[in-house]
Amino acid sequence: MLALSGGVGGAKLALGLDRILPAGALHVLVNTGDDFQHLGLHISPDIDTLLYTLSDRANPEQGWGLAGETWQVMAALEALGGETWFQLGDSDLATHLWRSSQLLAGVDLISVTRELASRMGVHSHVHPMSAQPVRTTVHCAEGDLPFQHYFVRRRCQPRVHGFSFAGLDQAQANPDVMALLAGKELSHIVVCPSNPYVSIDPILKLPGMWQALRDHPAPVILVSPIIQGAAIKGPAAKMMAELQVPVTAAGVARHYADNYPGLVDYFLLDHADATLAQEVEAVGLRPHTARTLMHDIYDKTQLAKTCLALESP
């Protein structure tokens, strides 16, 4: 099966899917619009969050970064007056150094990520959305900010009024995933509970991507990242409010219905939002209620089982 994922929220459900499926049965297509160059290194935040989560090394409190991380390099860099607004832990740096050295040697991001997953003992297939760079820009009250400058450096404080994705028209959707979508072996396609604007849109807007997902016979199941008017992780709710979109699961449903007609077969709402089912149905999506809030591995695997129990309508 195939899952689409951004950062922490998506990685939670991806972990649940990874744990209940046979080794190697899960393919995860990951946003790379957040990638950027920093301190001479290629940083892939969403890919690394997924790799660390699936290899059981993620910081359990943050959901990102590595457990037991140390920060000696950042302390030394700060003493030199270097940029430390984007914190890179000592062990995390090894990932970025290895990735950057491989990219400099001419290996593409798809192959580099495949090798990283193998070396970290991850049996599921982790696919960057494209080998070509796509970079998310946040249009906000302070002007145009690269995503990490908005998200980390400015802590999501500026008011948002839109997004764009540099390089999108020239990028090619991951050919390995497009080959999967051209076949019929995928049983389910799950859009994990990730930010629709800056985690999932960059994936779906790649040339031909959302149409290939729509046309595959597997059911497409989308899990709402908004529960009772709040994002469980990240700035999705704040962005929706500033874009004057209703900060509800129904607001998320309308975004997908308007921008990707016919894509979503099932829209999963948390039980707490069951009263919104009619609104979801009104925009043309099929609502399904379940427990979507994930606190622990039991919650993650149960939600994964719920997704896999849904069949093509």
Side-chain angles (χ1 to χ4, degrees), residues 9-33:
K12 286 183 178 182
L13 181 51
L15 179 62
L17 292 163
D18 176 84
R19 292 300 183 262
I20 67 170
L21 289 167
L26 173 64
H27 296 261
V28 188
L29 182 60
V30 190
N31 170 47
T32 57

Side-chain angles (χ1 to χ4, degrees), residues 9-301:
K12 286 183 178 182
L13 181 51
L15 179 62
L17 292 163
D18 176 84
R19 292 300 183 262
I20 67 170
L21 289 167
L26 173 64
H27 296 261
V28 188
L29 182 60
V30 190
N31 170 47
T32 57
D34 295 6
D35 287 21
F36 74 127
Q37 296 290 321
H38 185 59
L39 302 176
L41 301 174
H42 182 108
I43 314 294
S44 294
D46 287 356
I47 288 175
D48 292 343
T49 293
L50 187 66
L51 290 174
Y52 295 161
T53 298
L54 296 183
S55 61
D56 285 326
R57 296 191 302 144
N59 184 319
E61 295 177 1
Q62 297 175 155
W64 53 269
L66 288 160
E69 187 62 276
T70 56
W71 306 93
Q72 293 186 51
V73 172
M74 286 294 106
L77 183 61
E78 185 174 27
L80 293 171
E83 287 192 70
T84 58
W85 61 268
F86 193 91
Q87 290 281 295
L88 299 170
D90 299 331
S91 296
D92 184 37
L93 267 168
T95 301
H96 308 310
L97 287 165
W98 191 87
R99 174 190 292 117
S100 300
S101 68
Q102 294 296 301
L103 292 172
L104 284 171
V107 186
D108 65 78
L109 184 62
I110 293 170
S111 300
V112 170
T113 303
R114 185 187 303 120
E115 184 63 23
L116 273 173
S118 175
R119 292 182 181 216
M120 292 184 190
V122 174
H123 298 294
S124 292
H125 305 277
V126 178
H127 303 281
M129 68 186 200
S130 177
Q132 291 78 43
V134 176
R135 298 295 176 257
T136 300
T137 297
V138 181
H139 306 296
C140 60
E142 295 183 4
D144 294 346
L145 293 178
F147 180 77
Q148 294 301 336
H149 287 256
Y150 165 81
F151 185 61
V152 179
R153 194 169 201 168
R154 295 292 293 115
R155 301 179 184 273
C156 305
Q157 291 174 2
R159 186 177 183 83
V160 166
H161 55 80
F163 312 94
S164 60
F165 309 103
L168 191 68
D169 292 341
Q170 294 76 40
Q172 294 181 339
N174 187 308
D176 296 334
V177 173
M178 295 303 279
L180 278 173
L181 292 171
K184 296 201 170 30
E185 64 182 82
L186 295 174
S187 63
H188 294 77
I189 297 167
V190 174
V191 181
C192 295
S194 299
N195 188 308
Y197 303 100
V198 296
S199 292
I200 302 300
D201 273 359
I203 301 174
L204 295 181
K205 288 181 181 296
L206 284 164
M209 175 57 77
W210 80 265
Q211 295 90 342
L213 291 162
R214 177 199 61 195
D215 295 343
H216 194 277
V220 176
I221 300 133
L222 191 146
V223 182
S224 174
I226 300 292
I227 301 175
Q228 290 191 302
I232 303 307
K233 192 79 176 177
K238 176 181 181 291
M239 289 174 171
M240 291 173 73
E242 292 167 357
L243 294 170
Q244 300 184 331
V245 174
V247 188
T248 65
V252 175
R254 179 170 291 280
H255 173 78
Y256 285 100
D258 288 348
N259 290 281
Y260 312 105
L263 172 65
V264 178
D265 293 304
Y266 294 97
F267 187 88
L268 261 64
L269 300 142
D270 191 82
H271 288 308
D273 284 331
T275 56
L276 297 174
Q278 281 190 317
E279 288 185 52
V280 171
E281 199 165 15
V283 301
L285 304 188
R286 186 178 286 100
H288 185 88
T289 57
R291 177 178 169 82
T292 63
L293 186 61
M294 295 174 283
H295 290 300
D296 53 30
I297 190 62
Y298 176 80
D299 293 337
K300 295 163 190 170
T301 55

